Amino acid sequence: MLIDTHCHLDREPLAGQLGALLDEARAAGIGRWVVPGIRPEHWQGIFDLCQQVAGALPAFGIHPQASAVADEDDLARLEQLACRAVAIGEIGLDRNCADMARQEALFREQLRVARRHGLPVLIHCRGAIGRLMAILKEEHAGQVGGIMHAFSGSIESAWDAIRLGFAISIAATVTYQGAVRPLQLARGVPLEHLVLETDAPDLTPQRYRGCFNRPVWLWETASQLANLRGVELDEVTAVTTATARRILSLAI
């Protein structure tokens, strides 16, 4: 079954109709969802959800948008929760947020938590790929690897990440009219280094724009990736699922 490596099941409007949405996804052959944390106040809800929902896998992290309000107590709590997670994330850098120095310090601390617990990291990056890659190398993030969430960097940056043990996540941006860089990545990165995500309820596929994204639409991205590469859909599903399992250390 397909693995959605980034899906915010705890957010509305998904949370309010989660049973029906996941039944729909399971019927279509999607069976696991990584649920990333954004803010410390969301972590307990994510943990509880993943305890109750078969196939939901928790990740805990502090998004760069929350860096201004994060403190040492939050990092201590992250350290405690790490043993219950499949990944640390989503974490990273974002040029649209204030105080890059604070973002960088928080990013480093979370990478260190991931290394101490042997967990992969889910990386958010906007407008700061050079600095982010430098920090990943300085903090030895290659020891744990991870996933470059909804990656929109260059092929060269993708290869830098791959050499550090990261997979490149393909989202529904590959379906968007006028998309350029997502298509270059989908065609140019070897399939064995790609994984799939919805980022639901965000990043709705092109033909459903105007609606919130839903878990079953992971197939829109998988199908488009197969079309772009000129391969069978079964190959895309098998290879990306195997890569997700490897990165996240999932037994089955």
Side-chain angles (χ1 to χ4, degrees):
M1 299 186 83
L2 277 180
I3 298 173
D4 187 341
T5 62
H6 204 102
C7 188
H8 297 280
L9 298 180
D10 61 312
R11 283 180 49 194
E12 295 295 347
L14 299 185
Q17 44 193 302
L18 195 57
L21 290 172
L22 293 188
D23 284 348
E24 175 186 54
R26 290 188 184 103
I30 303 163
R32 288 190 175 182
W33 304 268
V34 178
V35 186
I38 300 294
R39 295 175 176 269
E41 59 265 32
H42 298 165
W43 293 344
Q44 186 62 49
I46 288 171
F47 177 74
D48 292 343
L49 183 153
C50 292
Q51 289 288 101
Q52 297 162 13
V53 175
L57 307 169
F60 306 111
I62 305 170
H63 192 283
Q65 292 176 353
S67 59
V69 296
D71 58 24
E72 291 299 321
D73 289 343
D74 295 324
L75 288 169
R77 191 163 154 237
L78 180 63
E79 191 85 54
Q80 294 173 343
L81 283 170
C83 63
R84 301 176 176 181
V86 297
I88 297 297
E90 102 192 55
I91 64 176
L93 300 178
D94 194 320
R95 286 289 179 191
N96 290 350
C97 304
D99 199 344
M100 288 300 294
R102 186 175 179 86
Q103 283 189 52
E104 288 190 13
L106 184 63
F107 183 38
R108 288 181 186 275
E109 289 298 330
Q110 293 183 95
L111 290 172
R112 292 167 190 170
V113 172
R115 284 180 54 215
R116 283 194 290 272
H117 291 269
L119 290 173
V121 288
L122 311 178
I123 298 295
H124 169 99
C125 185
R126 183 178 292 140
I129 189 64
R131 189 68 191 129
L132 182 133
M133 291 306 305
I135 292 172
L136 289 177
K137 293 171 185 175
E138 290 165 9
E139 295 295 335
H140 308 288
Q143 293 179 10
V144 292
I147 295 172
M148 305 297 287
H149 151 59
F151 189 68
S152 60
S154 65
I155 288 283
E156 293 76 16
S157 296
W159 274 110
D160 282 346
I162 290 166
R163 283 188 284 267
L164 275 181
F166 284 77
I168 306 302
S169 184
I170 301 297
T173 50
V174 295
T175 71
Y176 291 179
Q177 293 176 0
V180 176
R181 189 166 280 180
L183 305 190
Q184 293 172 343
L185 291 165
R187 292 187 178 111
V189 173
L191 186 58
E192 62 267 25
H193 296 300
L194 300 179
V195 295
L196 303 174
E197 68 166 276
T198 57
D199 197 27
D202 300 322
L203 297 184
T204 303
Q206 179 66 48
R207 69 170 170 156
Y208 298 110
R209 295 300 290 274
C211 304
F212 70 87
N213 199 2
R214 53 204 294 158
V216 73
W217 290 339
L218 187 64
W219 282 111
E220 294 287 312
T221 298
S223 298
Q224 177 68 341
L225 181 57
N227 291 337
L228 291 168
R229 299 188 70 91
V231 300
E232 294 295 325
L233 181 57
D234 284 352
E235 181 179 354
V236 165
T237 60
V239 175
T240 58
T241 299
T243 299
R245 286 175 175 160
R246 174 178 59 81
I247 292 287
L248 298 168
S249 298
L250 302 179
I252 56 174

